[in-house]
Amino acid sequence: MLKQNFGTNTICTHTGAIEDATFGGAVSPLYVSTSYEFLDQDVKRYPRYFNTPNQEGLAQKIATLEGAEAGLIFSSGMAAISAVMLSCLKSGDHAVVQNDIYGGTRNFIESHFKSYGIQYSFTKDLSAQAFEDCVQNNTKLIYIETPSNPLLKLVDIFAIGKLGKTHGITTAIDNTFATPIVQKPITLGVDIVIHSATKYFGGHSDITAGAVASSQHHIDQIWNLAKDFGGNLSDFTVWLLERSMKTLAIRIKAQQKNAIKLAKFLSKHKAVKQVYYPGLKSHDTHELAKVQMKGYGAMLSFELLKSYDTEKFLKALTLIKPSMSLAGVESTMILPSKTSHALLSENDRKAQGITNQLIRFSVGIESKKDLIYDIENAISLSKQ
Ligand SMILES: *Cc1c(COP(=O)(O)O)cnc(C)c1O
């Protein structure tokens, strides 16, 4: 293929694709071998070395989308996150971690860092100053996730990249909610980008996977640990994920077009107390969103007034699914108080702004009028 600076849709469709030299088929052949020739070969290929043809092709696509030199594909988002963290942190080191992060990531840190002799501080809030306040002499990693779950708060990515460079600390971001279609943290100065590819990269709620993109130097370090942890993704799923990624940009564009319209619809609705969406002027980091995001993503949250029963509301939906996880082409809603944040006390939840009336909405690609009709109908059936 010609080497040129392809546009995003072309990268999604073609970059990293494997040519079918034997039959001229249009899509990448699937290489399922676990055994590859070694005589006269520069590369010793083996699935757990993250270097089968399909793994390398998909990693190249994701790295190119992120503006990174290299990438690795993992069996889950958590496999990617744990490998990145432990490749950056050794016994005696310290990590500065965003207060408001994915529950699984928080659990990994709180349950296991101590036994590895790794110290950590969660920031007081999401300001760059709060991150700087936590930096110690032995800090080796600053970890962020923006937009956050479920209130879609933003962290200033450029400011965090700069903070890391000033202090010589590696910075990493979980870019799952935004995707490189919406924001490219490496171009803003962050070192390592991580994805739960289970979400938008897969996009159809049928794949579990993870991905990392970074400089070749960081990828080599992460690989060195990851090959021993053994969290590689099966090549069958790699192949499926490559297929999903071809439509990433058009899916995200369709989903966020719906999301801004639904955010506006909900914010005008008399049953809705508040809407959290970075694309709304009322969002407290809307100005930052305009600078670091291209479009505002397709996740939003809203609070129903207390006179509406949220469980009744979710049960009354007929199109939007009240189901766990997010980012599929089909719209879903959850109650954070009953799912991602269920283990916190009601007071701790309140302190974070997560009330029992809060609903997180992963906006899909359905026709906007049908989503609005479903919500209107469910609201009318949930008045107490
Ligand atoms: C789902 C998710 C993860 C974890 O990914 P898995 O694929 O479930 O391991 C990490 N970060 C964010 C933001 C997520 O939404």
Side-chain angles (χ1 to χ4, degrees):
M1 205 184 287
L2 283 173
K3 279 260 181 242
Q4 64 183 76
N5 281 333
F6 286 129
T8 305
N9 277 313
T10 314
I11 297 169
C12 285
T13 322
H14 292 289
T15 300
I18 303 165
E19 202 183 314
D20 178 358
T22 316
F23 299 107
V27 304
S28 297
L30 166 57
Y31 290 90
V32 294
S33 286
T34 54
S35 177
Y36 286 87
E37 266 181 34
F38 68 94
L39 292 172
D40 305 323
Q41 303 289 327
D42 297 336
V43 183
K44 305 286 178 272
R45 292 190 197 277
Y46 186 57
R48 189 169 46 74
Y49 295 168
F50 292 74
N51 62 2
T52 62
N54 293 91
Q55 284 174 309
E56 286 189 341
L58 180 58
Q60 192 194 342
K61 190 193 294 290
I62 291 169
T64 307
L65 282 172
E66 288 286 5
E69 285 173 7
L72 292 170
I73 310 302
F74 288 83
S75 58
S76 71
M78 284 312 301
I81 290 166
S82 53
V84 166
M85 286 187 162
L86 294 183
S87 76
C88 296
L89 299 162
K90 304 279 168 287
S91 178
D93 291 344
H94 172 259
V96 176
V97 183
Q98 179 178 326
N99 170 22
D100 213 339
I101 50 164
Y102 177 70
T105 311
R106 187 176 193 107
N107 190 53
F108 173 62
I109 293 166
E110 290 182 332
S111 303
H112 304 295
F113 270 26
K114 206 169 161 205
S115 65
Y116 292 114
I118 299 167
Q119 301 160 24
Y120 57 90
S121 310
F122 282 106
T123 59
K124 166 168 108 316
D125 54 48
L126 272 57
S127 66
Q129 188 60 49
F131 284 85
E132 185 150 24
D133 289 346
C134 292
V135 169
Q136 301 178 181
N137 286 336
N138 58 342
T139 303
K140 292 286 158 56
L141 176 67
I142 301 175
Y143 187 91
I144 63 173
E145 180 182 317
T146 178
S148 72
N149 180 26
L151 295 178
L152 292 311
K153 293 185 208 161
L154 304 192
V155 176
D156 185 335
I157 300 171
F158 180 76
I160 296 302
K162 204 168 139 201
L163 179 65
K165 287 197 171 63
T166 306
H167 294 271
I169 302 168
T170 303
T171 48
I173 180 171
D174 182 333
N175 201 26
T176 301
F177 267 35
T179 81
I181 309 307
V182 176
Q183 69 191 16
K184 296 188 199 292
I186 286 180
T187 65
L188 296 172
V190 168
D191 298 312
I192 304 170
V193 175
I194 311 173
H195 283 276
S196 168
T198 312
K199 313 296 165 52
Y200 287 109
F201 281 11
H204 298 72
S205 310
D206 55 7
I207 284 174
T208 312
V212 174
S214 188
S215 64
Q216 190 65 54
H217 167 75
H218 282 294
I219 289 296
D220 288 346
Q221 276 187 329
I222 298 161
W223 177 82
N224 196 35
L225 186 77
K227 73 177 191 326
D228 297 336
F229 276 176
N232 60 288
L233 184 64
S234 147
D235 279 295
F236 287 99
T237 315
V238 170
W239 186 87
L240 264 185
L241 185 55
E242 190 217 332
R243 187 177 72 168
S244 291
M245 295 285 300
K246 290 181 185 181
T247 56
L248 178 70
I250 59 167
R251 279 189 280 112
I252 296 291
K253 282 172 197 160
Q255 285 174 263
Q256 68 182 4
K257 198 168 152 205
N258 267 348
I260 186 101
K261 288 181 179 152
L262 282 148
K264 285 183 179 161
F265 158 75
L266 286 165
S267 61
K268 285 189 202 123
H269 202 288
K270 63 181 185 343
V272 175
K273 190 174 163 204
Q274 187 159 2
V275 179
Y276 300 91
Y277 183 65
L280 292 179
K281 283 202 187 77
S282 60
H283 193 271
D284 57 7
T285 42
H286 178 62
E287 290 306 313
L288 177 59
K290 284 203 284 193
V291 175
Q292 72 184 24
M293 301 172 87
K294 192 171 156 206
Y296 305 100
M299 298 297 300
L300 62 94
S301 288
F302 62 99
E303 238 180 299
L304 281 179
L305 288 174
K306 283 227 171 66
S307 46
Y308 294 84
D309 183 320
T310 49
E311 282 194 38
K312 253 196 208 162
F313 167 77
L314 292 181
K315 282 179 185 161
L317 294 166
T318 58
L319 182 64
I320 300 166
K321 287 188 173 57
S323 63
M324 296 281 287
S325 207
L326 58 112
V329 288
E330 51 288 289
S331 293
T332 59
M333 287 189 185
I334 62 156
L335 293 174
S337 62
K338 290 258 156 61
T339 54
S340 53
H341 295 70
L343 294 177
L344 297 178
S345 71
E346 190 158 346
N347 275 344
D348 283 352
R349 274 201 297 273
K350 258 208 188 116
Q352 291 187 25
I354 299 162
T355 68
N356 293 343
Q357 294 301 107
L358 185 74
I359 295 167
R360 193 194 68 195
F361 184 5
S362 171
V363 182
I365 62 167
E366 299 91 340
S367 303
K368 179 197 68 174
K369 72 172 176 49
D370 298 330
L371 294 172
I372 288 179
Y373 181 85
D374 200 25
I375 294 168
E376 274 295 10
N377 181 56
I379 286 178
S380 70
L381 293 172
S382 61
K383 190 145 174 67
Q384 345 214 24

